[in-house]
Amino acid sequence: MEAVIKVSGLKKSFNGVEIIKGIDFSLPKGKVLGIIGPSGSGKSTVLRCLSQLEKVDGGSIEICGQTLVKKGLYCSKQEARKIALSSGLVFQNFNLFPHMSVLKNIMDPQIHVLKKSKEEARETALKLLDRMNLSERVDYYPCQLSGGQQQRVSIARALALNPQVLFFDEPTSALDPELTGEILSVIKDLASEKMTMIIVTHEMAFARDTSDHIIFMDGGVIVEEGQPVDVISNPKQERTKLFLSRFSS
């Protein structure tokens, strides 16, 4: 099966401290990879490297058949920009533009990045907002929305750029428990439509039920990986067992 993401020997340090210590993984098209682990394990840093928010110190990354970095050496800036268009990142803190309406938050990236006309961008935005059950909020500003609504706008904005793969960085961590379910439901719908995704999450039941493959990270390495039911319900490594003992199934 065609791999959308290929990572080998990935390394990343901050101030001389190695946060990611040479990890390898791949993600086939139409599959969902869940990454779990304690805070500081390197989970979010992996996503930031894949989405070019951080530069790696070593290793190789391929996204949608294009080489972003090979053995620590990056492709040209022009090629990197093209690769960036093939993926979308949904942040834990929404990252919406506070001075723009919901509609404009979704239209503007299409106009400036994809060079769409305002009419095209508006049509796409309205379709996505309807899909997110936000048709009645098009003229609202982010401060007028609940956290769950803001996160749904963030997902719509990412989808508007028509990415081949979506990255989610703890998409429910900034939400009240009662709002978490609506975001998890949206992501499950995307999974059912065979959207290729990498999801960093602390929602263990969600990771187990939605992912095709699970990686458990700790200390910058992959401690254990495999089928969700095996890793989460029947882990083999003691470190994984200790981590998961804090969560109820």
Side-chain angles (χ1 to χ4, degrees):
M1 192 175 289
E2 178 190 354
V4 175
I5 303 284
K6 290 182 183 177
V7 170
S8 60
L10 185 66
K11 294 183 178 181
K12 176 63 184 176
S13 299
F14 292 105
N15 300 319
V17 179
E18 202 170 28
I19 303 300
I20 303 176
K21 303 175 181 178
I23 66 170
D24 307 283
F25 66 86
S26 63
L27 176 63
K29 186 175 182 179
K31 300 296 184 180
V32 179
L33 172 65
I35 305 180
I36 61 172
S39 297
S41 60
K43 309 184 302 294
S44 294
T45 303
V46 170
L47 291 190
R48 292 180 66 83
C49 290
L50 290 173
S51 54
Q52 302 183 42
L53 294 175
E54 299 287 354
K55 283 214 162 190
V56 308
D57 296 314
S60 304
I61 297 173
E62 282 184 36
I63 300 178
C64 298
Q66 302 173 88
T67 301
L68 173 64
V69 56
K70 187 170 185 177
K71 296 182 179 178
L73 297 175
Y74 275 83
C75 61
S76 68
K77 287 185 178 179
Q78 185 177 11
E79 289 173 314
R81 279 195 293 269
K82 286 182 183 176
I83 293 170
L85 286 175
S86 61
S87 65
L89 174 61
V90 177
F91 298 87
Q92 54 184 302
N93 293 317
F94 322 134
N95 277 35
L96 298 173
F97 297 112
H99 60 289
M100 291 184 183
S101 68
V102 164
L103 185 61
K104 197 161 168 50
N105 258 285
I106 301 174
M107 285 179 61
D108 263 36
Q110 298 179 70
I111 293 167
H112 296 299
V113 177
L114 299 184
K115 309 302 180 187
K116 282 188 176 183
S117 68
K118 285 186 177 180
E119 292 74 21
E120 282 182 296
R122 179 183 173 84
E123 183 180 352
T124 298
L126 289 174
K127 283 181 181 176
L128 286 167
L129 287 170
D130 180 56
R131 180 178 176 182
M132 298 292 159
N133 294 316
L134 290 169
S135 294
E136 296 177 1
R137 299 288 189 270
V138 292
D139 296 321
Y140 282 48
Y141 285 80
C143 65
Q144 297 173 298
L145 302 177
S146 70
Q149 289 170 335
Q150 289 186 63
Q151 192 61 293
R152 278 184 278 154
V153 175
S154 296
I155 295 170
R157 182 179 61 183
L159 289 171
L161 296 179
N162 198 29
Q164 294 183 58
V165 57
L166 270 183
F167 305 134
F168 289 88
D169 185 13
E170 298 277 16
T172 61
S173 67
L175 302 178
D176 294 333
E178 63 185 12
L179 298 175
T180 295
E182 64 186 64
I183 299 305
L184 299 184
S185 177
V186 169
I187 298 172
K188 282 184 178 180
D189 286 345
L190 291 171
S192 71
E193 295 166 11
K194 298 301 179 184
M195 182 77 198
T196 310
M197 295 185 281
I198 299 180
I199 305 169
V200 168
T201 183
H202 61 276
E203 300 283 347
M204 295 302 119
F206 168 70
R208 180 193 61 209
D209 297 342
T210 308
S211 305
D212 296 292
H213 193 81
I214 292 278
I215 284 174
F216 169 65
M217 288 186 67
D218 188 33
V221 300
I222 295 174
V223 175
E224 187 166 352
E225 64 177 307
Q227 295 291 315
V229 69
D230 293 332
V231 175
I232 292 181
S233 303
N234 189 29
K236 295 179 176 61
Q237 301 299 321
E238 287 303 318
R239 182 65 188 94
T240 317
K241 291 176 183 177
L242 180 62
F243 174 74
L244 291 168
S245 68
R246 297 183 293 122
F247 299 93
S248 56
S249 306

